[in-house]
Amino acid sequence: MLERVLFICPEFHNYENEIVKELKTKFNHVDTITYDELKYIKINKLQSKWIKLKRLFTGVESKVLKGKYLYKNNFSSLNKDIGKYDFEYDRLLVIKGYGIYPETIRNIKAKVKTIYQWDTISRYPLVKDIYHCFDYVFTFDREDSKSGYGCYLPNFLCKTNVVSDVHHDVFYVGSLNKERYEYFSWLTEKLRLQGFNYFIKLIGDTRKYKDVDFIQSYEIDKDEYNQLLAASKGVIEFGREGQYGFTQRYYEGMLNKKVILTVGKYNVNDDEAPYIMAIGDEGFIDRTLLNQKYNALTKLPLPAIVDDIELGNWLDKVLCLR
């Protein structure tokens, strides 16, 4: 067991706490900096207008201009907080890293520094400016890896042992954004017309979406999430536009022997293919095929990737512990 690790990660559906628990089995001391990223990326209307005006004169993408503004004005306090950790570390693990300055990473005293990117570079282009400060860079996105932005490694998987009777045909829980709102507004209506039982929730600010039954403001805790997933036949895998990496839902579904209902076409390994079923362009799901696949999965072994990315094994790889 190594002595000390520094772990820096935005808060996201309690996954950061799952990582901390596993790190404590591998290090004597785990120093943790977790933070609400939304607190740092908020921008007021005046600032937004200034960015749009500057874009007209410079031709620079709005997301780049916004990022530079946020780095300079909003993220300075986070970097100051990180700078207070002055121990000598065996390992540094940063998840995502958006808003962290290169000098902040350089000033951390760690024998091995690793960053894992669980977002696409196209959404947060400035984050790649700190990659040179790390010994190892990993990404969940295949295309970002092909473009030289890190070694491809799928998202980690937190193993669970939840057993439940099936109550839902279709399951999805995720953060609210415009793309997901538009898709699930359309899909839930299609599912209703087909007579499917479903549990679909988007978590976010409900003020703009009053009386939308699949949007709520409060989080679903991980235990409840696991119970709901276990009680479903199919799990929807819905990636953002331009995203070429699977979410945790994809692997959690496989772990629990659920049918992965995909939006669009996916290239998958041979032992993952039996789990995959595409949602039709018109929102059609073949009920008979869904039931057949679900029943057949109970007799199949888990895909090899499930064990490879189990959180403990995943950490061993990203932190070079083996």
Side-chain angles (χ1 to χ4, degrees):
M1 182 177 283
L2 293 179
E3 186 61 24
R4 190 180 290 268
V5 61
L6 176 60
F7 173 56
I8 304 172
C9 182
E11 296 167 358
F12 188 71
H13 300 305
N14 206 45
Y15 285 114
E16 69 282 359
N17 292 323
E18 295 294 326
I19 296 174
V20 170
K21 283 194 291 187
E22 190 64 32
L23 286 171
K24 287 181 178 179
T25 70
K26 300 175 184 293
F27 294 86
N28 289 322
H29 299 280
V30 179
D31 290 341
T32 303
I33 303 170
T34 59
Y35 53 94
D36 180 0
E37 191 177 46
L38 293 178
K39 173 181 144 185
Y40 295 96
I41 62 177
K42 286 181 178 178
I43 198 163
N44 64 40
K45 291 182 179 179
L46 182 62
Q47 294 162 344
S48 182
K49 286 180 180 179
W50 177 83
I51 288 170
K52 289 178 181 177
L53 185 63
K54 191 167 183 179
R55 180 179 180 273
L56 290 175
F57 286 99
T58 64
V60 179
E61 279 188 286
S62 294
K63 67 178 67 176
V64 174
L65 293 172
K66 180 182 178 181
K68 289 182 176 179
Y69 177 90
L70 293 174
Y71 270 55
K72 181 179 179 181
N73 297 281
N74 292 27
F75 278 107
S76 58
S77 60
L78 174 62
N79 283 271
K80 287 179 182 177
D81 290 341
I82 296 171
K84 296 174 184 176
Y85 286 78
D86 197 32
F87 295 101
E88 292 190 1
Y89 293 98
D90 292 293
R91 299 291 188 272
L92 165 68
L93 175 58
V94 174
I95 304 291
K96 190 170 181 176
Y98 186 68
I100 302 178
Y101 306 153
E103 56 268 30
T104 300
I105 299 300
R106 284 196 294 265
N107 289 337
I108 295 172
K109 297 186 287 290
K111 295 175 183 176
V112 177
K113 300 179 181 181
T114 297
I115 184 169
Y116 182 81
Q117 189 53 255
W118 63 15
D119 253 307
T120 57
I121 287 294
S122 61
R123 294 190 65 219
Y124 299 94
L126 292 183
V127 76
K128 64 181 183 293
D129 293 345
I130 63 171
Y131 281 8
H132 69 280
C133 301
F134 291 90
D135 300 295
Y136 298 98
V137 178
F138 295 92
T139 176
F140 89 114
D141 192 287
R142 290 180 186 272
E143 293 304 309
D144 282 349
S145 178
K146 290 177 183 177
S147 299
Y149 298 124
C151 176
Y152 172 68
L153 179 67
N155 264 311
F156 56 86
L157 175 61
C158 302
K159 288 197 172 182
T160 60
N161 296 304
V162 179
V163 178
S164 173
D165 293 333
V166 171
H167 302 295
H168 307 109
D169 299 300
V170 178
F171 170 83
Y172 183 90
V173 172
S175 300
L176 172 64
N177 59 46
K178 181 180 178 182
E179 186 181 2
R180 288 175 181 161
Y181 169 70
E182 291 176 350
Y183 180 77
F184 285 106
S185 293
W186 172 81
L187 183 65
T188 51
E189 180 60 26
K190 298 293 184 181
L191 293 176
R192 274 193 287 266
L193 291 173
Q194 295 172 75
F196 282 108
N197 293 319
Y198 61 84
F199 187 92
I200 293 175
K201 293 293 180 183
L202 298 181
I203 313 301
D205 189 341
T206 59
R207 286 175 293 181
K208 294 181 181 178
Y209 305 97
K210 291 181 179 179
D211 302 321
V212 180
D213 61 1
F214 62 88
I215 295 178
Q216 65 184 45
S217 59
Y218 54 92
E219 288 278 359
I220 294 174
D221 70 40
K222 203 70 178 72
D223 288 339
E224 183 183 1
Y225 174 96
N226 291 334
Q227 288 283 350
L228 289 164
L229 188 152
S232 305
K233 291 181 183 177
V235 178
I236 296 177
E237 171 65 3
F238 181 83
R240 291 175 179 269
E241 185 178 355
Q243 175 181 308
Y244 298 94
F246 296 121
T247 67
Q248 269 95 349
R249 276 179 297 273
Y250 178 86
Y251 301 108
E252 289 167 345
M254 288 186 177
L255 173 65
N256 288 275
K257 297 291 186 79
K258 307 301 179 183
V259 179
I260 310 301
L261 298 165
T262 59
V263 180
K265 294 182 178 179
Y266 289 79
N267 293 319
V268 300
N269 296 325
D270 290 344
D271 60 350
E272 298 170 32
Y275 288 77
I276 306 300
M277 179 177 169
I279 298 175
D281 292 339
E282 300 301 319
F284 175 73
I285 296 176
D286 186 323
R287 186 186 297 274
T288 301
L289 181 59
L290 174 63
N291 290 334
Q292 288 175 346
K293 276 185 165 286
Y294 176 74
N295 292 328
L297 291 180
T298 61
K299 303 171 185 175
L300 291 179
L302 289 170
I305 191 67
V306 169
D307 186 61
D308 291 344
I309 61 170
E310 181 274 324
L311 182 54
N313 295 333
W314 186 89
L315 284 171
D316 285 344
K317 184 171 182 63
V318 298
L319 294 175
C320 301
L321 298 179
R322 286 185 182 173

